Amino acid sequence: PSMTLYGNEEIGDEKENITTSSPKATVKIGTTAITKDNKILGYLSIEESKIQNIINGNIKETILKYPYKNGYVVFEPNQIKTKKEVDIKNNKIKLELTGYSKTKEVQKLNQHFNKELEKEIINTFNNIKENYNTDIFGFRQLYYHTDHKYFKEKCNNWYEDIYPNIKLEVKSNIKLYEKGLIYKGSRIVN
């Protein structure tokens, strides 16, 4: 995550600053920075940060909101596992997600949720690839570990030849296991 200092840096460094009820300087934790060659190129949105962590296998549970019918539906996937597979010769990366989630209308929403998550992962990946041309997902390392001889021969110009042409396939199979609904602001579990 990124951090931003608000206020006077010199006063913020003093011990008295943290002992007062109204500090002169505060630090705010932000979203993930997009870096390449030790330079900050931009920042992910909160949703993109979640997706980046799902792709990298660094998140076990989260809350996701997707449009559904005339409103939105909220999912709480947990026990999320991401399996990565690479087909180096075809420059293709396959992600397979598993886990569980709570929601209402289990059968109707299960397919919708998985399709929306697949779409969001692909959109986030393509956005980072096209707008920043940097690999925040660790796919270069995945290529190297899959076939280091091939990697050394063919992947010398990673950001020019390989990374921009990666095709990402995502298969999400997170199972919805509990239904619930909101009634006048209170959560009811059926």
Side-chain angles (χ1 to χ4, degrees), residues 59-62 76-82 97-101 173-175 177:
I59 195 166
K60 300 300 175 211
E61 59 185 58
T62 188
E76 299 176 47
N78 59 60
Q79 298 179 26
I80 301 170
K81 293 181 183 158
T82 304
L97 307 176
T98 57
Y100 299 94
S101 181
N173 190 24
I174 295 178
K175 293 179 177 29
Y177 69 92

Side-chain angles (χ1 to χ4, degrees), residues 48-185:
E48 288 172 328
S49 291
K50 288 178 188 179
I51 296 302
Q52 185 236 357
N53 280 297
I54 288 171
I55 290 172
N56 288 337
N58 295 333
I59 195 166
K60 300 300 175 211
E61 59 185 58
T62 188
I63 296 175
L64 301 171
K65 178 179 87 169
Y66 295 116
Y68 185 70
K69 295 185 181 177
N70 294 329
Y72 289 91
V73 64
V74 176
F75 297 93
E76 299 176 47
N78 59 60
Q79 298 179 26
I80 301 170
K81 293 181 183 158
T82 304
K83 180 181 171 188
K84 297 178 192 175
E85 220 176 90
V86 66
D87 178 353
I88 291 181
K89 309 241 183 327
N90 292 310
N91 201 24
K92 191 179 290 185
I93 296 175
K94 297 178 183 179
L95 300 179
E96 185 178 331
L97 307 176
T98 57
Y100 299 94
S101 181
K102 299 178 182 180
T103 192
K104 184 183 174 198
E105 296 185 42
V106 175
Q107 291 179 336
K108 290 180 186 176
L109 293 175
N110 198 67
Q111 185 176 11
H112 178 75
F113 165 70
N114 282 300
K115 291 293 177 208
E116 288 293 322
L117 183 56
E118 289 169 2
K119 195 166 43 175
E120 189 170 5
I121 288 171
I122 289 170
N123 288 344
T124 298
F125 169 71
N126 287 335
N127 177 45
I128 300 304
K129 181 174 75 168
E130 292 163 10
N131 293 319
Y132 299 101
N133 192 33
T134 188
D135 180 14
I136 64 172
F137 306 105
F139 291 153
R140 184 178 186 173
Q141 186 175 5
L142 180 64
Y143 271 55
Y144 177 80
H145 287 295
T146 300
D147 187 341
H148 67 277
K149 289 180 185 177
Y150 181 89
F151 180 85
K152 285 183 178 181
E153 283 178 26
K154 305 285 185 183
C155 299
N156 291 330
N157 296 319
W158 175 258
Y159 287 112
E160 292 80 26
D161 300 331
I162 306 299
Y163 187 71
N165 299 309
I166 289 177
K167 296 169 211 74
L168 187 65
E169 286 183 12
V170 181
K171 177 66 180 150
S172 178
N173 190 24
I174 295 178
K175 293 179 177 29
L176 308 178
Y177 69 92
E178 184 178 284
K179 61 183 181 173
L181 56 99
I182 303 295
Y183 179 73
K184 294 184 181 180

